[in-house]
Amino acid sequence: MRFLRDINLVFFTYVANYLLAFVLSVLVARGLGADGRGVYEITLLTISISQAVMSLGVGVASLYYIGKKTYATGDLLSNSQFMVLVSAALSGLLVLLAAGTFGPRLLEENMPYWIFVFGVPLFLNFNLITTFLQAHNRFLAMNSLTLLRPLVMVALLIGGLVLGRLNTTNVLVIWSIATLAAVVLGLLLLGIRNLHLPTVLWPNWSVLKAQMRFGVQGQLGNVLQLLNYRLDKYVVLAFVGMSGVGIYGVGVGVTESIWFIANAVAVVLLPHLTSAKEEEAAAFTPVACRNTLFLSLIAAAGLGVVSLPLVPIFFGNEFSDSVVAIWWLLPGTVALAGTKILASYIFSQGKPLINSYITIASLSVTLVCDFALIPFFGVPGAAAASSIAYSASLVLSLIVYRRLSGRSLREAIFVKGSDLRLYLETARNARSRLFPATAVAGDLEGGP
């Protein structure tokens, strides 16, 4: 029951977070236009990839070691903060190199590259902190951070729009302020007592080596998966232009709303499976996977219908072409929802490299399809390529799941009658709580 409670808590947080992200996306699109949103997308994407590489997987390893109770949280957290300092130094060096080589050209493109100096370490720290909260099953605290960032951003963006001073640089500074607020709150929630300043400045090398040794294996898959999700934006930039990135970004953002179901399940599932026995993990995974696929499919069908009239209304006619991209992205988005669940199981069995291999194969499909489709079909080609790659990822994850667990693929894909009966029972219980039956007159009067 605690597992279901945690899923519900994270699920509703993801719903709230997506609603805030949707408002944020509309504000950015309206304030910056297609070109400006393209710059915003490319900047944040580059920050995201940079922090994922510089982390060397210490967050992934910390989640695993906390679940297995191998090392103390204080050592793991302090070492993680040391990696944040390292990322800040590396980011500063890279910005200096960029300034001396192609800085003027970046500024001509309105790309505020200097923001990487603090953007990379801030985003790295945010991801590390949420991972530590997840590892300790502190989902309420984790959800507070998840919601704080978009709340601060929406408030500041509205202020910028009112003042009429919204541009790409201002929006990225607002993003940094919101991330800083979440980081500060996260450190307070984790407890300053868990931070050992001497270890932050000079880490526990034996523990850090173990973190990096295990973490690089898992993080390799995460970095590759990030590239699998986002590398096509760079290809769109090359063949379509910055406005194409902005249009495609809206399509991606809208369709990925479906993942709030899979993300909520996977976030709670990962620490649960990691600490569970092999048989329990193998039995629980297909239940989570098939129901996640089923609910994601329903959500995708609804989104496909409403996107045609609503995208131009909310984002403006400049982004009307995003609708076709949404339609092409939806099948793959549903497929990847299942992959997220299966990846949690594979990781929990101490096989992070297998997830990396799957992602390498999927990324290879992405690259081949991107260069085959984007030059000829533009943004819709990028969307179709992503769907093909995401579907390939699901197929490979299912094969690995079957080999590791020995269980049937059918039970991981297709919902059962017992699942549908549970949905009906849940709906009846929800209705009875929202609309309790009123007593009939005979009952009130003491009649038969």
Side-chain angles (χ1 to χ4, degrees), residues 17 34 40 49 107 142 192 199 238 247 257 277 291 300 323 383 422 437:
N17 185 56
Y40 173 77
I49 294 172
L107 291 177
M142 186 188 76
I192 301 299
T199 307
I247 291 168
S257 63
K277 295 180 179 179
N291 284 284
V323 175
L422 179 61

Side-chain angles (χ1 to χ4, degrees), residues 26 34 68 84-85 108 110 170 185 241 327 404 410 448:
V26 170
K68 299 299 184 184
V84 172
L85 296 179
E108 285 177 10
N110 295 317
N170 292 343
L185 176 61
W327 290 342
L404 289 178
R410 184 180 181 84

Side-chain angles (χ1 to χ4, degrees), residues 33-370:
D35 284 331
R37 184 184 169 89
V39 173
Y40 173 77
E41 293 266 353
I42 290 295
T43 303
L44 290 189
L45 172 57
T46 308
I47 287 175
S48 183
I49 294 172
S50 300
Q51 66 83 28
V53 172
M54 292 182 192
S55 75
L56 296 179
V58 294
V60 173
S62 297
L63 188 149
Y64 183 81
Y65 287 134
I66 289 171
K68 299 299 184 184
K69 298 180 173 62
T70 309
Y71 299 110
T73 297
D75 285 335
L76 295 170
L77 180 61
S78 298
N79 284 349
S80 298
Q81 294 305 298
F82 171 78
M83 295 302 297
V84 172
L85 296 179
V86 171
S87 74
L90 288 174
S91 299
L93 179 61
L94 290 173
V95 166
L96 287 175
L97 290 173
T101 52
F102 37 82
R105 181 179 175 185
L106 289 173
L107 291 177
E108 285 177 10
E109 295 288 337
N110 295 317
M111 179 80 72
Y113 64 93
W114 47 266
I115 208 165
F116 287 81
V117 174
F118 47 87
V120 171
L122 276 175
F123 196 39
L124 171 58
N125 213 0
F126 173 80
N127 288 326
L128 288 172
I129 290 168
T130 53
T131 300
F132 272 88
L133 292 172
Q134 178 189 0
H136 286 287
N137 293 312
R138 295 182 60 188
F139 295 108
L140 183 59
M142 186 188 76
N143 294 339
S144 299
L145 300 192
T146 302
L147 293 176
L148 177 63
R149 220 161 50 110
L151 274 172
V152 173
M153 280 199 73
V154 167
L156 293 177
L157 282 174
I158 291 174
L161 283 171
V162 171
L163 295 174
R165 296 182 178 179
L166 208 59
N167 56 44
T168 306
T169 299
N170 292 343
V171 172
L172 289 168
V173 169
I174 287 171
W175 174 87
S176 301
I177 293 171
T179 305
L180 175 61
V183 166
V184 172
L185 176 61
L187 288 173
L188 292 174
L189 289 172
L190 281 172
I192 301 299
R193 66 184 183 280
N194 286 318
L195 278 176
H196 186 232
L197 183 58
T199 307
V200 172
L201 299 175
W202 190 256
N204 184 327
W205 289 105
S206 62
V207 177
L208 182 59
K209 287 177 183 176
Q211 285 176 279
M212 291 190 294
R213 190 181 305 115
F214 181 90
V216 166
Q217 299 178 58
Q219 191 67 3
L220 175 62
N222 291 335
V223 172
L224 292 171
Q225 191 66 277
L226 179 59
L227 293 174
N228 195 27
Y229 291 167
R230 301 287 184 256
L231 190 62
D232 49 4
K233 289 185 179 178
Y234 291 116
V235 184
V236 170
L237 176 62
F239 287 101
V240 183
M242 199 64 80
S243 62
V245 176
I247 291 168
Y248 184 54
V250 167
V252 170
V254 170
T255 53
E256 287 184 358
S257 63
I258 294 171
W259 286 343
F260 66 72
I261 301 169
N263 287 340
V265 176
V267 163
V268 180
L269 190 66
L270 184 56
H272 176 79
L273 294 181
T274 302
S275 58
K277 295 180 179 179
E278 250 183 70
E279 300 79 10
E280 181 187 352
F284 198 78
T285 299
V287 178
C289 185
R290 66 175 181 258
N291 284 284
T292 298
L293 283 169
F294 177 68
L295 294 173
S296 298
L297 181 61
I298 293 174
L303 186 59
V305 172
V306 303
S307 60
L308 181 60
L310 294 186
V311 166
I313 292 174
F314 284 106
F315 294 94
N317 291 328
E318 191 177 4
F319 292 91
S320 296
D321 290 342
S322 298
V323 175
V324 178
I326 290 170
W327 290 342
W328 279 107
L329 282 164
L330 284 173
T333 304
V334 173
L336 201 63
T339 303
K340 288 174 177 284
I341 306 304
L342 296 173
S344 294
Y345 170 75
I346 295 168
F347 178 88
S348 73
Q349 301 307 296
K351 307 288 186 182
L353 269 180
I354 293 181
N355 279 332
S356 300
Y357 297 148
I358 291 172
T359 308
I360 289 172
S362 179
L363 179 58
S364 300
V365 175
T366 299
L367 288 172
V368 170
C369 293
D370 276 348

